[in-house]
Amino acid sequence: MTASRDERIADRARHPKWKNSPLRIEMLECINCDKCIAYCPPQFGAIFKHGIDVVIVPELCSGCDKCLPVCPVDCILPFPEWATKGSPVEWWREPGGADDPYT
Ligand code: SF4
Ligand code: SF4
């Protein structure tokens, strides 16, 4: 269950075995350089351009931290509250869609 990225996208559910908190992007500090998108491993594929913003979908983010060192303004932060705050529904337009950078 929720083992593959496609399944996680279909279920909109995080892998239950991921122990690390997902990350989030502080939008007020992000300079929209898009660098982090390429550093998210494709098996997770959690970072997307969303309009003018760059966002991390927490249900797809394993907390592997590979995106952290590439951010020039250090605006990628832990998101332990993800389960209660959740992803806005519109963030699910990109994962698995025609413009998904990880497929
Ligand atoms: S922590 Fe890992 S999975 Fe999450 S957005 Fe960064 S690179 Fe992707
Ligand atoms: S690397 Fe940092 S500044 Fe650049 S898009 Fe990602 S979060 Fe924003």
Side-chain angles (χ1 to χ4, degrees), residues 80-86:
E81 317 87 347
W82 73 276
T84 49
K85 299 204 171 164

Side-chain angles (χ1 to χ4, degrees), residues 13-33:
R14 201 163 184 253
H15 198 300
K17 290 196 172 160
W18 289 344
K19 302 283 185 232
N20 291 348
S21 165
L23 304 184
R24 70 176 179 88
I25 293 171
E26 178 51 63
M27 290 182 193
L28 295 174
E29 294 172 25
C30 175
I31 57 171
N32 300 348
C33 71

Side-chain angles (χ1 to χ4, degrees), residues 62-76:
S62 68
C64 71
D65 289 356
K66 292 223 167 22
C67 55
L68 275 181
V70 304
C71 180
V73 295
D74 289 332
C75 70
I76 305 178

